[in-house]
Amino acid sequence: MGLLSDPNRRRALISLLTRLNAPICVVCYMAGVVWFMGLAFEPFTLRTYMSENAMGSTMVEERFPSGERALATGREFAAHKKKVGGMPVDWLVKTMQARGLEVFTQTFSRTLPFPDENKERYMVKGTNVYGILRAPRAPRTEALVLSAPCTQGDHNNQAVGLLLGLAQYFRNQIYWAKDIIFLINEHDLIGMQAWLEVNMGRGGSIQAALSLELSSDVITSMDLVLEGLNGQLPNLDLANLFYAFCQKIGVLCTIQGKLQRNDWDSVSGYSHSVQTMMLMVMKQASGRPWGDHGLFLRYHIEAATIKGINSFRQYKTDTNTIGRLLEGMYRKLNNLLERLHQSYFFYLMPSLSHFVSIGYYMPAFGLLAVILLLRALDLWVQLASPPPGTEDGVVDTEQMWSPDVLSVLTPLVISHLTGVALYYLPIHFQKMALEHFPVSDTEAVVLTAIAVYTAGLALPHNTHRFVSGEGTEHGWRVLKLVAVLYLAVLLGCTALINFSLGFILALTLVPVAAFVTPHVPKVPSAFVLVILSPACTLLFSVFFFQELQEVPISFQDGWVLYLSVISQGILDHSLYGSLVYPLIALLVYPCWLLFWNILFWE
Amino acid sequence: MAAPLTLLLILAVTIRAALYRSSLADLIAERVEVVSPLTAWKRVVEGLALLDLGVSPYAGDVFHETPLIIYLFHFLVDYAEITFMVSAINDVFVVPIQFRKQKYALEAERYPLDCLELIRSPKEMYYIPLKVAMFYLLNPFTILSCVAKSTCGLNNAVIALFILTTIKGNVLLSAIFLSLATYQSIYPLTLCAPALLYLTQRQYIPVNFRRFSFWWFVAQYAFMYLGSLFVMICLSFFLLGSWDYLPSVYGFILSVPDLTPNIGLFWYFFAEMFEHFRLFFLCVFQINIFFYTIPLSIKLKEHPVFLIFMQLAVISIFKSYPTVGDIALYLAFLPVWSHLHRFLRNIFLVSCVLLACSALFPVLWHLWIYAGSANSNFYYAITLLFNVAQILLVSDYFYAFLRREHHLSYGLYLKRKDGSEATLVLK
């Protein structure tokens, strides 16, 4: 308490912080970035280990024998799919019944807010088929899910075949203590959403789910996808389980499509793990579900997607082996006595065998956030200290603050109204835009969003001028203090829910918040501000993501991709309740507008 | 004065009415920060339903409000919006108090002082009631609590009436409202001390334990207070025909059986504790709330209104089922102490922490309950931080108040014996 009560020490500390404010901020920013980059360096990370005792050893004997038959079933499924021109519901029901499952179907229909041009769908009608393998000697209270999406074209037939093969094999085993639900969902996530909405209300709990994607008879490696809706991740033990069984059975396994490397001390090894981690960060920040498992997480179900990848390497794995991998994982999950809760929920993975937990990555964000607090403290001290000229040291705070309330409140309200417009207008104005402009549906939505966004930039010139005539020196300081604290709280909350998103936003918005004043040169600062605005951050992220995936694209394609990412964001919000779009539109963008406002304070 | 006040009222009512109509109302009514098991409107509705069926509303351990409240709603309500109306009126009640407060502050000006800076000008004081009304009516905490139809609003109104009548010097009404507040939630019992101090001050009775006049006044007040408390308790008994409500209301408040997370300090502590320590710590926690009365009354003997503020803050921080509505009540007093602002030291830090915590409550709740990825420790950490910030805020105001008093008697610019500038250090 010495610091809080001793005025001399307080004064010394505060004067130190205000005098060295700028250098400390720069150092903090650097340190934050360096810390973040250091996370991918293997000695700084932790080795993954299984925390859940019930899944502790991999001592089960996997004997799945019928890989070839599964592939044959897959081919049969493909033929029926082609014949029906969609999901062969009758065939699936018959096949599942023949394998001794309790079979149910569920039809659903959903109308999208606007036609989705990426996947060419607007009014979606579909059917989910699922069969339940009842646990022979247990109450029907707990279940595991194995799902495979039924997609159009030639994709994923092998996954359905393997799923049916596993169903048949599991049926003949006696050790199941939990029901196993075999689900084939149509229209990927929309079907999954429909299934979850109906089935989560019905008692009994699902403890874990895996979604399977396999598109060729022979694969070279298995890829694990963890990122779910709003950047939520499953319990790390699920990833550990996958990794442990891959090691045991001898399947090449990857995360973010990147193989594990042993040369962490070399430059290329380090850059490899940075790449892997950055891919995870970008995917998590997008807030999209990156596999069909993504929606399970919302219901407290630990889930992941397992993708079979055929990259024409030498190393081949047949369907038998994948079947054994899944068998092993399900037998271990079957042993669970309670929900997975021991291991981490907040982590980043620079490789499948190493992870960075929340305690290690939060300081990187904390170092950035501290800049905002330091700036706020600096502003507070400036506001509280008497203006030069009055010597008596007495400041009539009342007099000073009252006229500013209006000039601070107006930009706040106006920028938030712009945010509300950005949130509502794109979908509601879509019809009108279509009538007047030669654009397609998706383009109408996205371009309206961009138009509103840009229009917001024109507002600050007029906001306070028409209220209080002239902005005072004092006025912008108060506004900036409010804006900086607002941003700090906003980023802090975002980083807790979705670290990656919070960190990326902090990386771009914190410098803006730190340097903007009305006295910096207008044109270059405005340029920097626009470059670091949320929309541009998204644009750069799109290119950066492509670069990380080693499929660089031209600017033209990048722009098209950018537009589709925005429309996807809006769709994800209205379909699955992804929070990224409303967060950006209703909170981050208005907050950025406040800084834009300060720059043009006159 | 009247015009801005009317505008303010219209604005406040509009915000509340708009929120009632929106889909947010249901969401807010579920928030643990806003409603407690004692004050939840859902539970009152349940109690009313039981009462209509002819069953004791306290059967089934859902309803924990006092019998008078349920009868009040029984007769008054049946309109969904009535609580809103009542709450809006409550809010208005707080305003006139501050008109009185203005008078009090004017009296304070009679201090024999040389430092004029420290005294508030009448002009400043003129706006204090308006500011208080604004602080209360537009405080997001109050709005949330009102939209959630938390009965906390009613308790606040009773306490506000108590303060009003006390400051007006009406001994009987003061005692009645104090007993009503005590009847509602026990803890306002500690407000007895400031009320007595204020009323004796007003009637020029010296606080001297050897004087008969002092004891006679105390006895009078105690008689009125206990008498009206007795009447209320008996009335409740006759209304319900049973003593069911005593364990269900007061037992519930004192023994804290419901450990639903809230912004208070009890739930986590008692959820983690071994059962055989429970009684002991329960006593410690509850005595803690009442204990501050003694030192504070001694220190603030001359300033009962500030003592009321301190007591309200202590109650709302340490009570067993606190909600944001309780906090809003003492926050509404802050503009009254605007003359202390120059002596506040941690106000920036504290307001940052309070702000951040208020935003983090729903976020961590989401992570814990919906996403399942965080756990109760995260939420409790924020609760703890929130309460530490509140304590810092209150102690900061306390320190500032004492320091102002010091300056009032010794001059604003303190000199050491050798003539150099001196600083005050709190040790």
Side-chain angles (χ1 to χ4, degrees):
Chain A
M1 285 303 277
L3 198 62
L4 290 177
S5 59
D6 184 346
N8 295 324
R9 260 189 280 172
R10 280 167 63 94
R11 208 171 297 143
L13 183 75
I14 287 174
S15 79
L16 186 76
L17 285 180
T18 45
R19 208 150 23 90
L20 296 178
N21 204 286
I24 295 179
C25 287
V26 172
V27 168
C28 278
Y29 191 80
M30 301 284 201
V33 175
V34 168
W35 187 294
F36 180 73
M37 296 311 283
L39 293 177
F41 191 54
E42 203 172 297
F44 298 160
T45 59
L46 298 172
R47 248 197 117 69
T48 53
Y49 57 93
M50 195 75 85
S51 314
E52 174 61 55
N53 278 331
M55 303 198 304
S57 78
T58 46
M59 294 261 289
V60 281
E61 200 181 334
E62 308 85 8
R63 282 185 285 200
F64 179 71
S66 42
E68 283 310 312
R69 241 171 77 198
L71 286 180
T73 320
R75 279 190 287 275
E76 204 180 325
F77 169 74
H80 281 275
K81 189 162 86 173
K82 207 175 228 168
K83 203 165 74 187
V84 185
M87 177 122 152
V89 178
D90 295 335
W91 181 82
L92 276 172
V93 170
K94 221 161 50 191
T95 321
M96 281 189 174
Q97 269 163 351
R99 281 158 173 72
L101 306 179
E102 266 177 51
V103 187
F104 302 91
T105 58
Q106 176 208 2
T107 52
F108 59 90
S109 65
R110 191 80 202 261
T111 308
L112 275 53
F114 57 91
D116 179 6
E117 280 167 14
N118 294 330
K119 291 182 178 163
E120 291 175 353
R121 55 190 182 189
Y122 180 46
M123 288 159 74
V124 181
K125 276 199 175 68
T127 315
N128 292 324
V129 181
Y130 59 103
I132 303 178
L133 169 61
R134 293 293 179 193
R137 281 170 299 182
R140 300 167 170 188
T141 50
E142 295 172 336
L144 303 170
V145 173
L146 177 61
S147 78
C150 166
T151 44
Q152 284 156 349
D154 253 352
H155 291 293
N156 231 22
N157 298 330
Q158 283 82 352
V160 177
L162 182 57
L163 179 133
L164 293 171
L166 280 170
Q168 185 163 30
Y169 174 73
F170 283 2
R171 171 92 177 110
N172 300 323
Q173 310 304 322
I174 45 139
Y175 38 65
W176 299 114
K178 302 181 201 303
D179 293 352
I180 300 180
I181 303 173
F182 295 91
L183 165 68
I184 295 169
N185 56 315
E186 204 179 355
H187 298 298
D188 49 66
L189 284 165
I190 297 182
M192 201 54 106
Q193 167 89 350
W195 189 79
L196 281 168
E197 272 168 11
V198 171
N199 287 280
M200 286 319 292
R202 276 193 200 158
S205 74
I206 300 175
Q207 295 199 316
L210 289 178
S211 179
L212 188 62
E213 288 180 25
L214 272 184
S215 295
S216 66
D217 290 358
V218 174
I219 60 142
T220 51
S221 61
M222 297 298 285
D223 188 45
L224 181 66
V225 182
L226 298 170
E227 300 84 3
L229 187 71
N230 291 328
Q232 209 182 334
L233 301 169
N235 191 292
L236 188 59
D237 270 343
L238 199 64
N240 297 339
L241 183 70
F242 171 76
Y243 181 63
F245 270 99
C246 284
Q247 295 291 87
K248 183 190 173 193
I249 296 176
V251 179
L252 275 186
C253 53
T254 60
I255 188 160
Q256 320 298 351
K258 306 273 184 200
L259 273 174
Q260 174 103 13
R261 280 171 63 155
N262 295 322
D263 53 342
W264 57 266
D265 44 357
S266 71
V267 174
S268 69
Y270 171 69
S271 79
H272 183 82
S273 55
V274 169
Q275 233 177 21
T276 316
M277 189 181 75
M278 286 308 288
L279 270 171
M280 180 158 187
V281 168
M282 302 303 280
K283 283 186 181 175
Q284 199 189 10
S286 77
R288 292 180 55 190
W290 284 81
D292 279 10
H293 73 285
L295 298 174
F296 279 102
L297 298 171
R298 167 159 56 179
Y299 299 91
H300 281 215
I301 303 166
E302 306 314 322
T305 295
I306 297 179
K307 272 184 184 165
I309 295 196
N310 191 357
S311 59
F312 308 104
R313 285 203 191 89
Q314 286 302 308
Y315 194 92
K316 302 280 188 216
T317 306
D318 62 355
T319 318
N320 258 346
T321 321
I322 303 165
R324 278 167 50 213
L325 174 74
L326 286 169
E327 184 196 349
M329 286 180 73
Y330 272 86
R331 284 196 58 183
K332 276 291 161 195
L333 290 171
N334 182 47
N335 290 347
L336 276 182
L337 296 175
E338 48 192 343
R339 287 177 183 284
L340 287 172
H341 68 278
Q342 304 234 6
S343 198
Y344 298 84
F345 283 94
F346 298 103
Y347 53 86
L348 294 175
M349 296 191 94
S351 72
L352 204 44
S353 63
H354 285 84
F355 75 101
V356 183
S357 79
I358 183 166
Y360 288 76
Y361 66 60
M362 261 313 180
F365 175 80
L367 283 166
L368 295 186
V370 120
I371 298 177
L372 295 176
L373 298 183
L374 283 175
R375 297 306 296 177
L377 181 75
D378 189 34
L379 282 166
W380 175 259
V381 171
Q382 282 177 21
L383 283 171
S385 66
T390 56
E391 273 178 15
D392 51 358
V394 181
V395 194
D396 191 353
T397 43
E398 301 299 317
Q399 297 276 309
M400 241 165 48
W401 286 76
S402 46
D404 290 326
V405 173
L406 207 60
S407 66
V408 171
L409 214 57
T410 324
L412 261 176
V413 170
I414 291 187
S415 55
H416 279 90
L417 287 181
T418 320
V420 171
L422 180 61
Y423 179 68
Y424 280 110
L425 287 191
I427 290 177
H428 291 251
F429 266 34
Q430 174 211 355
K431 288 262 154 49
M432 209 161 99
L434 275 182
E435 281 168 20
H436 296 287
F437 300 101
V439 285
S440 66
D441 296 280
T442 315
E443 273 176 344
V445 175
V446 175
L447 294 179
T448 318
I450 294 179
V452 174
Y453 190 92
T454 326
L457 303 190
L459 280 173
H461 298 283
N462 308 319
T463 49
H464 62 261
R465 214 180 284 162
F466 99 109
V467 197
S468 56
E470 203 171 307
T472 55
E473 192 67 1
H474 197 79
W476 73 261
R477 289 222 171 90
V478 177
L479 179 59
K480 187 169 170 184
L481 181 66
V482 171
V484 164
L485 288 178
Y486 181 17
L487 184 65
V489 170
L490 179 60
L491 289 180
C493 292
T494 313
L496 269 177
I497 294 180
N498 184 343
F499 166 76
S500 305
L501 183 61
F503 188 76
I504 291 176
L505 286 176
L507 219 50
T508 55
L509 289 177
V510 165
V512 168
F515 90 89
V516 163
T517 64
H519 306 307
V520 290
K522 289 273 179 318
V523 179
S525 317
F527 180 71
V528 172
L529 223 66
V530 170
I531 289 291
L532 293 177
S533 81
C536 287
T537 310
L538 178 62
L539 181 64
F540 300 137
S541 301
V542 167
F543 283 103
F544 185 54
F545 184 67
Q546 294 296 324
E547 206 62 45
L548 283 173
Q549 285 197 314
E550 290 161 4
V551 276
I553 43 171
S554 67
F555 186 78
Q556 202 73 37
D557 296 341
W559 178 253
V560 174
L561 189 61
Y562 174 63
L563 297 184
S564 82
V565 164
I566 295 176
S567 73
Q568 210 59 48
I570 299 175
L571 272 179
D572 281 350
H573 170 58
S574 57
L575 284 177
Y576 320 120
S578 155
L579 291 175
V580 177
Y581 179 63
L583 177 82
I584 301 285
L586 295 175
L587 296 171
V588 178
Y589 171 63
C591 190
W592 178 84
L593 270 186
L594 289 180
F595 292 109
W596 182 256
N597 235 310
I598 292 165
L599 180 65
F600 291 102
W601 190 272
E602 276 159 17
Chain B
M1 192 67 182
L5 202 62
T6 323
L7 269 177
L8 183 70
L9 274 180
I10 292 172
L11 179 66
V13 170
T14 320
I15 293 175
R16 284 161 172 77
L19 279 173
Y20 269 119
R21 298 280 180 277
S22 75
S23 56
L24 285 174
D26 290 336
L27 194 75
I28 293 170
E30 295 285 314
R31 298 295 319 164
V32 286
E33 295 89 2
V34 183
V35 295
S36 70
L38 280 173
T39 60
W41 175 246
K42 222 165 70 176
R43 288 168 185 258
V44 176
V45 172
E46 181 73 19
L48 277 173
L50 287 176
L51 193 68
D52 286 343
L53 290 173
V55 186
S56 159
Y58 298 101
D61 199 38
V62 172
F63 180 68
H64 297 290
E65 261 297 352
T66 51
L68 287 187
I69 284 281
I70 199 165
Y71 275 95
L72 175 80
F73 281 118
H74 189 63
F75 295 119
L76 272 183
V77 191
D78 298 334
Y79 309 97
E81 302 277 293
I82 190 72
T83 324
F84 159 61
M85 297 300 290
V86 174
S87 303
I89 295 163
N90 296 340
D91 301 348
V92 183
F93 274 140
V94 180
V95 183
I97 302 168
Q98 301 313 328
F99 284 109
R100 296 292 126 195
K101 191 128 302 147
Q102 179 186 345
K103 203 166 145 198
Y104 166 72
L106 276 168
E107 278 173 2
E109 222 180 324
R110 279 194 238 123
Y111 274 108
L113 324 152
D114 48 344
C115 26
L116 283 169
E117 287 166 20
L118 292 180
I119 305 171
R120 286 179 292 183
S121 67
K123 181 173 160 268
E124 272 172 58
M125 253 173 304
Y126 182 72
Y127 286 109
I128 286 176
L130 187 66
K131 277 186 193 157
V132 170
M134 200 162 89
F135 245 66
Y136 189 74
L137 288 174
L138 298 184
N139 188 339
F141 287 164
T142 330
I143 295 175
L144 287 178
S145 164
C146 179
V147 171
K149 297 183 189 169
S150 158
T151 51
C152 177
L154 288 176
N155 297 351
N156 283 356
V158 172
I159 294 175
L161 280 172
F162 154 69
I163 299 170
L164 174 68
T165 48
T166 309
I167 288 176
K168 266 189 167 172
N170 192 329
V171 181
L172 178 64
L173 279 179
S174 158
I176 289 177
F177 280 117
L178 183 60
S179 65
L180 195 59
T182 315
Y183 168 79
Q184 277 293 335
S185 60
I186 299 184
Y187 298 119
L189 176 65
T190 60
L191 295 175
C192 253
L196 271 174
L197 285 173
Y198 186 85
L199 292 169
T200 50
Q201 205 179 56
R202 216 181 136 85
Q203 305 193 356
Y204 304 108
I205 301 170
V207 183
N208 187 338
F209 294 112
R210 275 180 231 138
R211 290 279 191 86
F212 174 72
S213 60
F214 173 71
W215 285 110
W216 174 237
F217 183 76
V218 171
Q220 272 179 326
Y221 193 77
F223 178 74
M224 284 186 269
Y225 172 69
L226 291 175
S228 45
L229 197 61
F230 181 73
V231 168
M232 274 170 227
I233 287 174
C234 289
L235 186 64
S236 311
F237 172 71
F238 290 125
L239 280 173
L240 279 180
S242 81
W243 292 109
D244 276 355
Y245 74 96
L246 283 181
S248 200
V249 177
Y250 305 116
F252 189 76
I253 293 174
L254 290 176
S255 68
V256 203
D258 190 321
L259 299 179
T260 315
N262 56 31
I263 56 171
L265 298 164
F266 277 70
W267 64 273
Y268 187 87
F269 202 78
F270 285 95
E272 295 290 316
M273 192 180 305
F274 288 121
E275 197 56 37
H276 50 277
F277 292 128
R278 195 183 154 91
L279 183 65
F280 172 69
F281 278 101
L282 209 57
C283 296
V284 172
F285 270 59
Q286 298 287 8
I287 289 170
N288 178 42
I289 306 168
F290 295 99
F291 185 73
Y292 293 102
T293 316
I294 302 165
L296 284 177
S297 313
I298 293 169
K299 190 74 202 168
L300 295 172
K301 196 162 61 183
E302 311 285 320
H303 311 285
V305 180
F306 192 74
L307 182 57
I308 291 181
F309 163 73
M310 291 295 292
Q311 291 286 16
L312 283 178
V314 166
I315 291 172
S316 79
I317 294 169
F318 293 113
K319 73 190 277 192
S320 45
Y321 301 102
T323 60
V324 291
D326 298 308
I327 296 168
L329 182 65
Y330 84 80
L331 286 186
F333 273 85
L334 295 187
V336 181
W337 320 120
S338 59
H339 57 293
L340 301 179
H341 281 173
R342 55 182 299 158
F343 298 120
L344 292 176
R345 299 158 308 161
N346 301 321
I347 188 74
F348 176 66
L349 178 78
V350 167
S351 28
C352 284
V353 173
L354 284 180
L355 205 76
C357 288
S358 316
L360 283 174
F361 274 128
V363 169
L364 289 171
W365 182 263
H366 169 87
L367 283 181
W368 174 22
I369 301 296
Y370 295 103
S373 40
N375 53 41
S376 57
N377 301 332
F378 288 59
Y379 191 77
Y380 187 62
I382 289 303
T383 311
L384 216 51
L385 195 60
F386 189 67
N387 283 306
V388 167
Q390 282 191 73
I391 291 167
L392 268 182
L393 177 76
V394 173
S395 53
D396 212 13
Y397 266 94
F398 186 51
Y399 166 83
F401 193 86
L402 294 183
R403 188 162 164 200
R404 179 171 175 269
E405 289 306 308
H406 185 84
H407 281 305
L408 280 177
S409 39
Y410 295 99
L412 184 55
Y413 299 103
L414 299 176
K415 294 268 191 287
R416 285 215 189 94
K417 275 184 188 139
D418 55 1
S420 64
E421 200 178 315
T423 47
L424 284 179
V425 177
L426 184 72
K427 287 217 167 133

